[in-house]
Amino acid sequence: DFAAGAETAFGTILQRSYAKLGARMHYGHPDMMNKAYMIQQGGVSKATKTVNLSEDIFAGMDFTLRGGGRAIQHSEYFHVTKGRDLGFGTVLLFFSKLSAGTGEQLLTRQMLRLGEGLGLPEYLSFYYAHGGFYLTQFLLSKCVPLLAYLWLLVVVDAPEVDFMDPRASWQAPAKATPGSTAMARLLIAQFGWVLLLFLVAGSAPLIFEIWIQAGFTAAASRFLKQMLTLAPLHFIFQAKIIGAYVA
């Protein structure tokens, strides 16, 4: 359900937002392309080391780089469904392909020229929608083991040794805090309400889209269903796959 919800949000509310913010490129599954026209506007393919690796994104970037106010628009004529195997292994294989394609994008001249030519709001939106999302997943997949390693390092190596409060001054003497307590507070901050906020923010596009289409009750029940079935655990594996392949 987590993967199906992501596909629903990507093909609807996120496409509208990207188009409004000026960061939308061409995407294979929700889009149709006028091939005869696009061949004259930068082409419809890109030489990559793997066949069919983000060729649709490169078509959109080349079209945008032609200048003259060109932009990929989003027109919703009707909604159709596309059959896709949403098994656990298939979904992770699909994200490995997307991540490898994003890694290729970050190395290309198109990405550099878009960074030089787009305005700051448009480029920040473009960065979040493409390379920035995958780089964030990469950093997330690396930071969690590092945080656990630092916690174990403090706990194993003299946890009774005190840390001094960095906010202390000569007017307010420092209060000593044991190392284990300091790391426990850090972990509570990282895996407490911040993690809950992160889960809600990640599901927000799907919640708002279902709210628009079917009402708040349907959106709330869909969100509760994802939480109760531990759908966010799929996100953990997805982040690890993205972090491994985008680099």
Side-chain angles (χ1 to χ4, degrees):
D1 186 72
F2 188 84
E7 287 285 329
T8 301
F10 181 77
T12 53
I13 191 169
L14 289 179
Q15 297 304 315
R16 302 181 205 123
S17 302
Y18 294 163
K20 193 69 175 179
L21 295 172
R24 192 174 188 276
M25 297 296 120
H26 186 275
Y27 308 99
H29 50 292
D31 284 351
M32 291 183 290
M33 180 186 293
N34 185 342
K35 182 178 179 181
Y37 176 71
M38 291 294 289
I39 287 177
Q40 308 170 47
Q41 304 296 322
V44 295
S45 64
K46 172 69 176 176
T48 55
K49 66 178 182 179
T50 305
V51 178
N52 299 330
L53 196 64
S54 297
E55 75 285 352
D56 44 3
I57 306 293
F58 283 111
M61 288 195 289
D62 288 334
F63 178 80
T64 304
L65 285 170
R66 299 284 289 185
R70 290 175 174 83
I72 308 293
Q73 68 177 4
H74 178 65
S75 301
E76 294 191 59
Y77 295 101
F78 51 85
H79 288 172
V80 297
T81 58
K82 175 182 179 180
R84 184 189 295 278
D85 182 7
L86 291 178
F88 186 75
T90 306
V91 171
L92 296 185
L93 182 64
F94 175 67
F95 271 99
S96 69
K97 175 179 177 292
L98 294 182
S99 302
T102 304
E104 292 282 340
Q105 295 172 36
L106 295 174
L107 300 175
T108 58
R109 289 174 290 181
Q110 285 93 332
M111 188 71 72
L112 173 64
R113 289 168 179 168
L114 282 173
E116 295 175 342
L118 290 177
L120 182 60
E122 290 80 7
Y123 185 73
L124 289 177
S125 303
F126 172 73
Y127 175 78
Y128 170 78
H130 298 87
F133 170 77
Y134 292 89
L135 289 178
T136 301
Q137 303 300 306
F138 169 74
L139 295 175
L140 181 64
S141 66
K142 297 299 182 183
C143 287
V144 173
L146 180 60
L147 182 62
Y149 173 76
L150 291 176
W151 177 71
L152 289 175
L153 185 64
V154 173
V155 170
V156 173
D157 185 26
E160 66 279 356
V161 175
D162 295 338
F163 282 91
M164 304 304 291
D165 192 342
R167 295 170 296 179
S169 63
W170 64 273
Q171 295 176 338
K175 294 182 179 180
T177 302
S180 56
T181 303
M183 290 306 299
R185 290 175 180 172
L186 176 62
L187 291 176
I188 290 173
Q190 293 292 330
F191 296 100
W193 65 272
V194 176
L195 179 61
L196 181 61
L197 179 63
F198 183 75
L199 293 176
V200 174
S203 302
L206 177 63
I207 294 173
F208 285 122
E209 179 59 29
I210 298 179
W211 191 350
I212 293 171
Q213 294 185 3
F216 178 76
T217 303
S221 61
R222 181 70 176 272
F223 176 73
L224 290 176
K225 176 185 176 183
Q226 289 191 348
M227 296 299 108
L228 293 176
T229 56
L230 302 180
L233 291 178
H234 179 271
F235 176 78
I236 298 175
F237 291 96
Q238 176 183 310
K240 295 295 289 184
I241 289 292
I242 289 175
Y245 280 88
V246 75

